[in-house]
Amino acid sequence: MVLIAVDEALATLERSPLSRKRAMLLALLIDRAIDEVPAGDPLARCRHLVRGALGEVLRLAALHEQGPRLVLDTVPVEDPESLSEADYMVSVYCGGMAPRVRFAWPDGRREDALPLLRSAAAALRAVLAESR
């Protein structure tokens, strides 16, 4: 049931990739889904939760001051052919730049939110499958 909500939130974000609100909703749903993972082997469960995309999404959902946050950045377009028509038009008028929702860490690192959230959803599936 919880995976359905995560899948729906991911699909909604993919249709509206510039929505920080929808990106945060997906992060919170992933965080909620982790609460439903059976205890099983706590060390195995923790291994998944502290690494990679899933760990970053859980840190975002925790809203810690030193954790990542979601920001809207304007970034250079590397592959114009991969853009939607709307994004392409924005990039044309903005000198090859396009807005993106990104994870931003206090140390200055930035990463596009959509691929990271996709990876976290896939890692969640793996955790849930492993716990069965």
Side-chain angles (χ1 to χ4, degrees):
M1 184 79 166
V2 71
L3 279 178
I4 294 170
V6 168
D7 289 343
E8 288 174 353
L10 180 56
T12 299
L13 179 60
E14 287 175 339
R15 286 190 303 273
S16 302
L18 298 180
S19 173
R20 286 188 311 161
K21 182 170 72 173
R22 290 187 174 136
M24 189 60 166
L25 174 61
L26 177 54
L28 293 172
L29 286 169
I30 289 170
D31 183 67
R32 169 72 174 87
I34 288 297
D35 293 340
E36 294 188 13
V37 174
D41 177 4
L43 293 177
R45 181 175 177 218
C46 289
R47 181 180 65 242
H48 290 292
L49 302 183
V50 296
R51 291 191 313 217
L54 186 55
E56 294 301 340
V57 169
L58 295 178
R59 283 186 271 288
L60 171 69
L63 300 173
H64 288 290
E65 190 173 311
Q66 295 304 313
R69 59 191 172 88
L70 292 173
V71 297
L72 190 61
D73 278 342
T74 303
V75 298
V77 173
E78 294 174 14
D79 182 16
E81 293 179 12
S82 69
L83 298 176
S84 69
E85 182 178 347
D87 277 350
Y88 177 75
M89 293 308 295
V90 167
S91 74
V92 167
Y93 290 109
C94 294
M97 306 285 277
R100 292 286 177 263
V101 174
R102 304 181 86 199
F103 272 64
W105 288 269
D107 65 5
R109 287 181 300 136
R110 305 276 175 141
E111 188 173 339
D112 286 350
L114 188 53
L116 199 142
L117 287 163
R118 279 187 195 124
S119 294
L124 170 65
R125 284 189 177 287
V127 169
L128 291 173
E130 201 173 280
S131 68
R132 290 183 184 152

